[in-house]
Structures are given as C-alpha cells and as structure tokens.
Amino acid sequence: MQDPAAAACTRISSLVLTLTEEPALRALTLKELARIPGLELEERGGPWVAAVLDSADPEAVIDGFGRLPGIRFVEVIFVEVTEPRLLETPNH
Amino acid sequence: MERRLFLKTTALAAATAVIAQRLAANEGGAAPAGVPAGAPAPSRPEAGPDGIRWDKAPCRFCGTGCTVRVGVKDGRVVAIQGDQLADVNKGLLCMKGYHVGGILYGRDRLTTPQLRRNGKLEDISWEEAIDVIARRIMRNPAGFGFYGSGQWTIPEGYAAQKLMKAGLSNNHIEPNARLCMASAVTGYLSVYGVDEPAGCYEDLDAADVIILWGNNPAEMHPVLFSRIVDRRTRGQKVTIIDLGTRRTRSTEYADHYIEFRPQSDLAIANGIAHLLLAKGTWDRDFVAKHCNFRKDTAPVSLNGQAMTFDEYKAALAEYTPEKVSAISGVSVEKLHLLAELFGRRDLRITSLWCMGMNQHTRGTAINRLVHGVHLLSGHWGRPGDAPTSLTGQPSACGTAREVGTMCHFLPGGRLVAKPEHRRDCEQLWNLPEGRINPKPGHHTVELWTRFCTPTGKGGDIDTILVQVTNPGQTMPNLGKTFNAKKGLEDKFLIVSDVYPSATTALADLVLPAALWVEKNGVYGNSERRTQQWFKQVQPPGQARNDVWMTLAIARRLYELGHPGMKDRDGRFLFSFNDAHGHEVPVWDWEHFEDINTDRALFEEYRRFTFMKHKNVAPYDELARVRGLRWPVVEQADGSFRETPFRFMEFSDPYVRKGAGIQFYHSVTNDDRALIWFNPYEAAPEEPDTEYPFWLCTGRVIEHWHTGTMTMRVPQLRNSMPNAYVELHPEDAAAAGIRPGDTVVVETRRGKLELPVWIDGRGRPPRGSLFVPFFDQNFLVNQLTLEAHCPISKQPDYKKCAARISRRGAVAQTRTEART
C-alpha cells in the first residue's frame, strides 16, 4: 500500500497518547515507544504523553501503536502537509 | 530557526498544550474548556520567522465544525493544525481533518471551463460558459433546476436561493442535504415548530448516558466521540449505549450494544414510552407544563392533529416489551434497561443520531419519537439532557436549513406556500409583489427523476446546474434518477466541481470551482455555530468561486433581458456598492474582489435571520472569533452574546423571564412542544426468498462522502483504497465465500461486483450486508431504493433487499443464507 513517493519525504505529526496507568505496563510501553525511529516523547503528567513523529509514513507508525497494549487512545492534533505530492485521478 | 526544527517545536507545543488543558481541567474537576467562543482571534495573521502564515478556517468535511489552523507558505497550504482556541475541537482533529490541506492538490483539479461537443469536453472561455448557461435558462426558465449542497457556503447558498426564488420565480432549487438530514428538519419542525437542535456540544460534557440511535460517531464524528471517550480517561463515568443494526467502531466503546432489526427503531421508541407510562416513571410535571400530544393525519402531514394524553396512552398500549421484542429482536431485558434509564431523573441523557434515523422511509416519525421519549421523561432542558441530531456536511445547517435552499423554503424559516411569508421576503428583497412563486418546487428525488424523464413524458426539468455535490454517485437508484439522462438530447447538465466525478462524466458543461480556503466562506455547523474564514491561497488555473458563477449568470440574464433580474426599482438583483457608494461590478471576475462580496451577501442574508429568532452575528464579529451559536444577541455594551442552549431561560434571551423553558415557536402557539405517536411500519422492501439479505450503505472514517476530495489525498486513499462488502462470517461460510473473494451483490435495481471484507471495520448481523458509498468505481447507489419518507422526502439508503453470489455462481437463496 505504501505510496513510493511517500518515502521520499518525511512529515511531522503531533500526537497525544493516552497510556495505561498501570505502572509496569506503562513503563514497558514507554520503552517500546522510545525504540520507534523519529518519535520524540514528552511526559506531561496524567495518563497523557505528548509525542512528535517525524516519519515518511506516519499512518503506519500510528496504526502500529494499536499493537501496544499499554496505549489506550491516540489523538493526532497536528500534521504537516509540506510538499503535497500530486496524485493521479483515482482509477476513474 | 531551521524550518523543520521550528515545525517540531510547534508540534510538541500543540500536544503539550492539549495535555496542560486537561490537567488543569482535572485539577478543577471540570470538563476541559477551550477559550470562550467570544474570545478574539488574532487579526489577519502575519508570517512567522519560518515564512508560514497561519489563519483559521472550519474544516471542509463533516458537520462537527472543527476549526483548523491553516499554514500557508509561498501561496500553498503547507501545514494543518487543530485550533486550540476553538471550543468545538479544542485543538483536536480527526484523520480526515489533519489531511484537509491535501484536498487542494490532486493533479486532476479542474482548471478550465469545458463544453461537450460531439461527445467530447472541449475547453471554452468563462465568458462563453456563462453565456451558454444564461441562454439555456432563457429558453425555458421554468425548466431550470439548481442543485447544491450542505457544502455550499452561506453566501453561495443565499445567492443561489435569491437567483432562483427572487429572480427566476422558480422554486426548483434543492441541496443534497435533502438526502442526509431532511428528516431531522421535519422532526424538529413538527415537535418544536422551528428547526435545529436546542442543545449543543456541551451536552456531551454533561451527559451521564449517551445513546447512539443507529449512529457511529467513532467514525463519522470522531472529534465529538473523542470528547466523550476523553471523559472516561479523566475518570468520569459516562455510559454509552449503541443502538444499532451493525457492530461498528463505536460499539467497541459501548457499555451496551443493542442490535435491532432494521426499521424497528420506531417500535423500540414506542416501547420505551409504553414502559415509562406503565411504570409511572414519566415526568408528569414536565409534560403538564411543556407538552401537547399529536398523531398523524391520513394522509400524513407535517403538523398532524391533536390527541389527548389518554389517546396517546391507548395508542402505545400495544407496544408491550414482548411485542416490541418480537418486532425488533431486542430482548425484553434491554428494553427495560432503556426505559429505566429514561425513568431516572438523577441521570442526564443525550441521544445522538445522524443518517441511521434520517435516511429512513419513516424518518420524520422516528425523529419525532426520539424527541418524544426525551420530552415524556423530562430529559430535556438541562445541559446533558438533549435529543440532538448530528449533520454530515459542514453547512447543512448553515446553508441548507438556515438559508433555506430547499424547494419549499425561503430564507429565515419562511415558506413559499404562505402568502405572508412571501410578502416578508419580497419586501426584504425589494421585489414587486407576486414575484415569488407560491408553488413548492420538486424535491431532490423528483427533480432528478423528471430531469431523467423525456420531456414529452412528463420530464419538465431540462437543465440542471450542480454546485459542490456529486449526484452521479449519491442519488438512490442511480439507473433511474441519474444515469437515465444518457441519450436524452434535450437535457443539459451543468456541473461546477473541483475534480472529475461521476457527475461530470455525464455533464454537458463543466465549470472549474475554487475550493475551501481558495475563497472566502461562512459555514454553519451542527450546534448552530456560524463560522467564517478568509481566502488564503489562489485557486488553480481558471477555477473560480461558485458564488461568482451565480452572480455572473444572473448578470448575463439581466443583459439578455430577463425581467426577474431587476428589483422593484429596476436595479440589478445583486447590486453592491463600495465604501464610496459606487456600484461594484462583482459579476465581472476582474472586480469580484474589489469588495468582500461574501460579506455583502452575508449581511444582506442576515436580515432574514431575525424573522425566527435565528439571529446570526455580523460578518465582522464572526471574522474575529471561532464561530458563534445563534441566536446571537447584541448586548447593551455593543458585544454579542451567543446562545448555547435554546429555549432554556438560563441561556436563551428570548425565553420569557420566569418561564424556565419556553418553546416560543410552538406549533400549537402555546409555548409547548409536541409528543407524537407514530406507529411502527415495515420497510417498503424487506428481505424475501429471492433477495434474502438487508443491504445497508454508509461511510468510512477515511473518506468523506463520495471520496471526490479524500481519494486525492494519498494518505487517506492508501488507508482505504476501495469499497467492499461486509457480511457476517457465518453467512460467508454458508456461501463458501472467503475474505478477499469477489462477490456479486444484487438488488432488484442492479448488480455490483465487490471484494469481501469479513470482520474488518464492522460486523453486520446474519442476513445483513454493508457497503460504503465513497468509491466511484463501485457505485453502490445503483442498487439502492429511492423510496423516501412521505414528509421529509428523504430516501432510505439503509435498507433494501439484496442477494449475494460468488462471481460466476448462482445467487444465494434464503435457505442457503441461513444454513
């Protein structure tokens, strides 16, 4: 599914992640998140973590969050659409 | 600062600000609050150190009305951000919203007017295009139809409305909103005497129970749904009840999923009312003070006839839990659960609905019944106690409903059929008496059916101008209501759009349109909030504003001598002056922006809004803020106060002091709302031995309506590249169908090959199919039924009978489907 042109540039997204408040699982989740390239985290209190993602395919990374049981909710609050790539007519 | 570093810093600041707001709310024990709606927005923004200039705009997609911050650099939209100053979304956006900037930049944007000659579309000039349209209208003004949408901005819809009703004396104007919320309109009108919800989004912050009536806000209104889910994250208890005919993403968050047989929602609502009366848990005081009872006439009508409480009770007597359970498939226990919740005054209950209740052959009736359950139980009039319809388009409320771009409405909630209403509008428009045609025009299904019928056989509509919508994909039973236009030589279809579509494929004249922040605009969202934005980038090529097209057509008609293009004093209908009192030829593209034409049209329209207490704020005030909810009333100090909760004394300035609640547009002229009795009736086409499945159509989170815009955004298109058919795994196994197989879905109106998706996004129950309508390559509306509610005229896209077969196999019968 990956659009080949998409790999050519990265885009910045701003996220709010709602994590579990169960301490062990939360710590494990933060450790897993820290391994994701292009993802910067900032804990601000409560169950929430502010995150900035710089990735060529942010949707895939965000989809991948669903595999981490310690993440309860993901909100995307900012997205960069720099260098909007042109697209063919969709199969019309 | 290096640009990417700056963007990252901004992105992190945006996320941390959202969290800080929530932490503050937790400490204060209150729901998170955005900056008050009246707080000033920055004046027209300057570019920052990175060269990006940020400005506000409402999102282009659904009716939630999120405000986005649009980042522009070098004449292009380069970034999108949720606006933290916006009360609606408090900085959040959904996946479509954060990609909204991408809709401007598909490679196949329409950029030149094109006229079909010898079967091929050829480039022509704007001057020729406008002349062709005007001469076509002059041939037969009564045979002209104007078809727009809930994506028309308020000035666009108002200009179209004025051209048709004040200029051409022609009421054949409709918005596609007829297909999405007309039943909500007739519901509000017949219960309260005036359209649109009394409540607002703050109800979601205050409700203890949210009931989703055939509604999937997790996908269709995700920012509003996240507002509810967020309360749980902050430790608040909110019970979500999903009353549906198919498991969806919303079901995953529900405390109770109550699955009912399609069409039986009327029986369920009557069953709740029956139990409230039987248990004595209805709110006697509220009903005694604020309600009357009503039933249908034969034939049915908007306002019906009076009935007594005893007659109402007797009519409900047959809706016992056992009978309702037999009709709906809902257990007796679940029916008691619903009635018990409504019977508790210590809870606050908000009902939400959208297409599931509106796209219904009994759409007006089910809308009335849900309002009725709230009124009967007294769950009305406190924040969190509200029956609220959500809209699917960004200005279905603002333009279709408030401007009244329907075949029977005039602006300001007036009706073409009422002489005093026509007179009011003729006076405001300075028209000669009798200019407005008293006969309602054709509603949407009728308009298109007549356009697709040969002129000699009753097809009295020969020309339609379409703006900002795609009927070639959205009309029900497309073979009859759209595609039958093929081969009818005397029919002429004009389409203004931004991309090629199923509609432009049959167009005789295509007009390239400016989109979203390529023009000024004003929208009105689901909670009566009017939202303004300014043009931020240039449209591509020769694309131009829809409102300009309407003004240019009107001017050409004036030049050709159409008498309706002059007012009572002989002035052109769309005559606007500059600050020095000189007329500005806004119909000439070179001068269109010499004044803010949107502002001029909006201020002219605004006078109508005072007619039914729907006062919108002045344009300049709206430019300053993130929208205001009407009625907006000027205060003694010159400021403007919005009204979050209508008809409630603590919020609505039009409620009489001491009244508490006052339905001041009451149908019965006694300040009371109406509790209706409407019986359950079977759907017009139900599964049978030949077509054993229910077919339901709908939307997906990635795409907005017909996908014309979102399919051009790579991220959205890649996330959901094509339509599919969902069916229950046991139905699939019984038919030997596996995920990914291609099957033929067939109804009495047509057939369509679709890939199968099992247990993907949603799960229909056994005997049901679901197909989304966003994909132009799989036009599911070739299969749907054009049957519609007799009052709202809104078609039912949620229910018809279908069968499936593997490609090349014999169609599946009921026996096979059930084994």
Side-chain angles (χ1 to χ4, degrees):
Chain A
M1 264 331 167
Q2 172 69 44
D3 183 342
C9 62
T10 62
R11 288 178 292 124
I12 293 170
S13 307
S14 168
L15 314 168
V16 172
L17 309 179
T18 306
L19 302 190
T20 175
E21 292 183 86
E22 197 280 299
L25 183 56
R26 182 183 173 90
L28 185 66
T29 304
L30 285 168
K31 205 169 164 183
E32 289 287 325
L33 288 170
R35 291 191 187 134
I36 296 173
L39 185 68
E40 295 172 27
L41 304 172
E42 190 166 314
E43 289 194 75
R44 304 293 294 188
W48 304 288
V49 175
V52 175
L53 177 64
D54 190 355
S55 167
D57 193 358
E59 290 76 20
V61 177
I62 293 166
D63 281 350
F65 289 157
R67 290 192 292 274
L68 298 176
I71 297 183
R72 288 163 51 186
F73 206 69
V74 180
E75 293 159 296
V76 182
I77 61 167
F78 174 100
V79 70
E80 179 192 15
V81 290
T82 312
E83 313 301 342
R85 281 160 290 108
L86 301 176
L87 185 66
E88 294 284 357
T89 310
N91 309 325
H92 293 169
Chain B
M1 190 185 294
E2 195 266 321
R3 180 174 173 275
R4 295 196 70 72
L5 180 59
F6 179 84
L7 266 180
K8 279 190 180 180
T9 307
T10 307
L12 189 61
T16 53
V18 168
I19 294 172
Q21 198 177 70
R22 288 179 188 169
L23 289 169
N26 273 3
E27 284 165 15
V35 171
S43 53
R44 294 313 305 283
E46 300 294 324
D50 59 348
I52 297 179
R53 181 172 54 80
W54 294 90
D55 204 348
K56 62 155 187 165
C59 177
R60 177 60 180 75
F61 298 127
C62 78
T64 300
C66 297
T67 300
V68 300
R69 297 185 73 224
V70 184
V72 173
K73 185 178 182 184
D74 300 330
R76 292 176 70 87
V77 173
V78 296
I80 293 294
Q81 189 175 10
D83 188 341
Q84 291 169 47
L85 294 180
D87 257 354
V88 169
N89 52 311
K90 304 175 195 295
L92 296 180
L93 293 175
C94 73
M95 70 181 298
K96 286 189 292 292
Y98 68 75
H99 288 298
V100 65
I103 64 174
L104 302 172
Y105 300 114
R107 188 157 69 187
D108 57 341
R109 275 294 295 268
L110 297 168
T111 56
T112 313
Q114 294 183 307
L115 181 65
R116 196 175 295 280
R117 290 182 174 124
N118 301 317
K120 282 185 62 179
L121 287 170
E122 296 178 2
D123 291 356
I124 60 169
S125 68
W126 268 111
E127 188 180 16
E128 183 179 359
I130 297 298
D131 185 62
V132 165
I133 297 167
R135 289 183 186 280
R136 184 79 199 177
I137 295 170
M138 288 294 280
R139 271 178 80 231
N140 178 19
F144 176 61
F146 204 152
Y147 189 66
S149 83
Q151 301 153 67
W152 254 339
T153 67
I154 288 174
E156 286 167 354
Y158 175 72
Q161 169 86 312
K162 189 175 180 185
L163 169 69
M164 294 296 284
K165 289 174 182 160
L168 295 172
S169 304
N170 175 334
N171 295 331
H172 299 313
I173 177 172
E174 278 278 278
N176 68 353
R178 177 74 74 179
L179 309 177
C180 75
M181 37 89 308
S183 300
V185 175
T186 47
Y188 283 110
L189 284 172
S190 57
V191 172
Y192 308 106
V194 64
D195 185 24
E196 296 199 41
C200 61
Y201 298 158
E202 278 92 314
D203 286 315
L204 305 179
D205 303 329
D208 301 295
V209 180
I210 305 276
I211 302 181
L212 311 174
W213 293 79
N215 187 23
N216 177 16
E219 289 199 79
M220 305 318 147
H221 297 88
V223 168
L224 294 182
F225 195 68
S226 73
R227 188 167 176 156
I228 300 167
V229 173
D230 184 55
R231 289 181 55 202
R232 286 180 169 172
T233 305
R234 289 185 282 111
Q236 296 180 23
K237 179 165 170 55
V238 53
T239 300
I240 299 174
I241 298 181
D242 180 15
L243 261 168
T245 59
R246 159 183 172 256
R247 286 179 176 273
T248 67
R249 281 191 171 178
S250 299
T251 315
E252 293 169 23
Y253 297 89
D255 299 274
H256 302 278
Y257 173 57
I258 302 178
E259 193 166 274
F260 63 93
R261 189 169 179 270
Q263 192 84 357
S264 67
D265 41 4
L266 283 92
I268 294 168
N270 282 338
I272 296 169
H274 169 97
L275 283 171
L276 287 167
L277 295 179
K279 292 167 187 270
T281 51
W282 57 290
D283 191 331
R284 287 174 172 77
D285 288 345
F286 187 92
V287 172
K289 282 183 191 162
H290 303 301
C291 303
N292 290 320
F293 293 90
R294 210 74 167 173
K295 64 182 177 184
D296 266 334
T297 48
V300 295
S301 62
L302 181 67
N303 291 328
Q305 63 187 50
M307 72 192 305
T308 64
F309 172 76
D310 289 340
E311 288 170 335
Y312 174 72
K313 191 173 180 183
L316 285 172
E318 65 175 300
Y319 289 90
T320 61
E322 293 70 25
K323 177 174 177 174
V324 172
S325 181
I327 294 171
S328 65
V330 175
S331 70
V332 168
E333 292 72 26
K334 294 284 188 189
L335 293 168
H336 277 283
L337 166 78
L338 291 167
E340 281 161 16
L341 288 171
F342 275 106
R344 286 179 58 180
R345 228 70 66 221
D346 60 321
L347 296 176
R348 298 192 180 202
I349 302 176
T350 291
S351 287
L352 297 176
W353 68 92
C354 197
M355 296 306 106
M357 266 174 49
N358 295 342
Q359 292 178 336
H360 199 310
T361 51
R362 301 284 287 147
T364 304
I366 183 61
N367 270 266
R368 290 167 174 167
L369 294 184
V370 172
H371 289 294
V373 168
H374 276 264
L375 292 165
L376 185 67
S377 62
H379 283 286
W380 210 106
R382 302 180 300 181
D385 267 336
T388 298
S389 70
L390 300 172
T391 45
Q393 298 186 80
S395 201
C397 286
T399 307
R401 293 161 79 159
E402 292 159 29
V403 176
T405 57
M406 294 177 133
C407 64
H408 62 300
F409 277 142
L410 289 162
R414 310 282 92 180
L415 297 168
V416 298
K418 289 200 170 180
E420 65 273 26
H421 289 189
R422 293 196 302 278
R423 195 167 52 244
D424 290 345
C425 293
E426 284 168 350
Q427 282 174 0
L428 274 184
W429 275 328
N430 193 34
L431 302 176
E433 193 178 330
R435 170 73 67 79
I436 296 173
N437 189 332
K439 188 179 172 193
H442 300 316
H443 62 80
T444 294
V445 171
E446 188 67 18
L447 181 78
W448 285 98
T449 302
R450 286 173 183 254
F451 181 65
C452 291
T453 300
T455 304
K457 294 183 178 175
D460 60 343
I461 300 297
D462 62 26
T463 303
I464 293 183
L465 167 56
V466 176
Q467 287 185 335
V468 281
T469 187
N470 188 8
Q473 192 162 338
T474 56
M475 287 299 294
N477 192 6
L478 280 167
K480 177 180 173 185
T481 61
F482 188 78
N483 294 333
K485 185 262 180 192
K486 281 179 196 162
L488 299 179
E489 295 299 325
D490 62 335
K491 305 286 181 167
F492 195 80
L493 179 60
I494 307 154
V495 182
S496 162
D497 211 330
V498 294
Y499 290 110
S501 69
T503 307
T504 62
L506 278 194
D508 300 286
L509 177 60
V510 176
L511 308 173
L515 172 61
W516 191 44
V517 294
E518 293 166 354
K519 58 187 179 184
N520 293 335
V522 187
Y523 277 161
N525 81 346
S526 276
E527 58 162 359
R528 296 175 280 108
R529 185 184 294 273
T530 315
Q531 302 166 291
Q532 177 276 351
W533 76 94
F534 287 113
K535 174 180 175 178
Q536 293 164 41
V537 294
Q538 290 293 339
Q542 297 180 49
R544 293 183 184 178
N545 303 28
D546 285 295
V547 76
W548 172 81
M549 295 177 208
T550 301
L551 303 185
I553 292 164
R555 185 65 183 187
R556 188 68 188 122
L557 286 166
Y558 174 90
E559 291 163 356
L560 292 172
H562 192 292
M565 296 303 119
K566 292 179 182 174
D567 70 9
R568 192 162 50 195
D569 301 322
R571 278 166 59 96
F572 177 48
L573 276 187
F574 297 98
S575 181
F576 301 115
N577 293 343
D578 63 18
H580 306 292
H582 301 130
E583 186 177 40
V584 179
V586 290
W587 54 86
D588 178 346
W589 181 245
E590 296 303 315
H591 294 283
F592 177 68
E593 294 183 345
D594 287 359
I595 59 169
N596 183 340
T597 308
D598 254 39
R599 184 180 185 279
L601 284 163
F602 186 84
E603 288 299 332
E604 183 182 306
Y605 156 69
R606 188 169 163 256
R607 298 173 304 161
F608 290 85
T609 68
F610 297 93
M611 290 175 160
K612 213 168 177 180
H613 302 98
K614 296 184 177 183
N615 322 21
V616 295
Y619 185 91
D620 293 341
E621 182 68 10
L622 293 173
R624 208 175 64 79
V625 300
R626 265 63 172 173
L628 290 170
R629 289 168 287 194
W630 57 258
V632 179
V633 178
E634 188 167 10
Q635 306 297 293
D637 63 0
S639 64
F640 288 88
R641 184 187 142 183
E642 66 167 358
T643 304
F645 299 93
R646 207 157 47 130
F647 308 131
M648 301 169 212
E649 186 181 354
F650 68 88
S651 174
D652 187 338
Y654 291 119
V655 172
R656 192 178 59 248
K657 276 200 170 51
I661 291 171
Q662 184 191 3
F663 298 106
Y664 49 75
H665 282 292
S666 165
V667 172
T668 40
N669 293 318
D670 56 1
D671 294 338
R672 289 164 179 263
L674 299 181
I675 296 175
W676 283 75
F677 170 73
N678 288 109
Y680 160 77
E681 283 176 15
E685 186 180 89
E686 298 212 344
D688 54 22
T689 51
E690 204 178 350
Y691 293 91
F693 286 87
W694 288 105
L695 171 62
C696 176
T697 68
R699 295 171 284 175
V700 296
I701 190 169
E702 294 85 354
H703 292 296
W704 196 70
H705 290 194
T706 60
T708 317
M709 293 180 285
T710 50
M711 285 289 268
R712 265 80 181 181
V713 178
Q715 295 81 15
L716 298 175
R717 184 184 169 200
N718 290 343
S719 297
M720 181 60 77
N722 57 265
Y724 53 86
V725 56
E726 276 178 5
L727 69 163
H728 192 280
E730 291 174 18
D731 282 336
I737 293 169
R738 292 169 303 181
D741 282 356
T742 297
V743 298
V744 180
V745 179
E746 185 176 2
T747 68
R748 291 183 173 86
R749 291 154 294 282
K751 61 172 76 171
L752 188 63
E753 291 189 2
L754 285 156
V756 170
W757 197 13
I758 296 171
D759 281 345
R761 183 60 54 79
R763 177 190 266 204
R766 287 212 68 182
S768 286
L769 310 172
F770 173 83
V771 179
F773 74 92
F774 70 87
D775 191 343
Q776 186 177 331
N777 296 306
F778 299 98
L779 292 175
V780 71
N781 282 317
Q782 295 172 94
L783 312 187
T784 50
L785 190 63
E786 78 272 25
H788 47 266
C789 168
I791 297 174
S792 72
K793 317 297 184 192
Q794 179 166 356
D796 189 332
Y797 292 87
K798 301 296 186 185
K799 313 169 200 81
C800 67
R803 62 189 176 197
I804 54 168
S805 57
R806 292 192 311 276
R807 190 161 49 181
V810 176
Q812 193 182 27
T813 66
R814 176 185 288 277
T815 311
E816 289 164 332
R818 296 290 178 188
T819 52

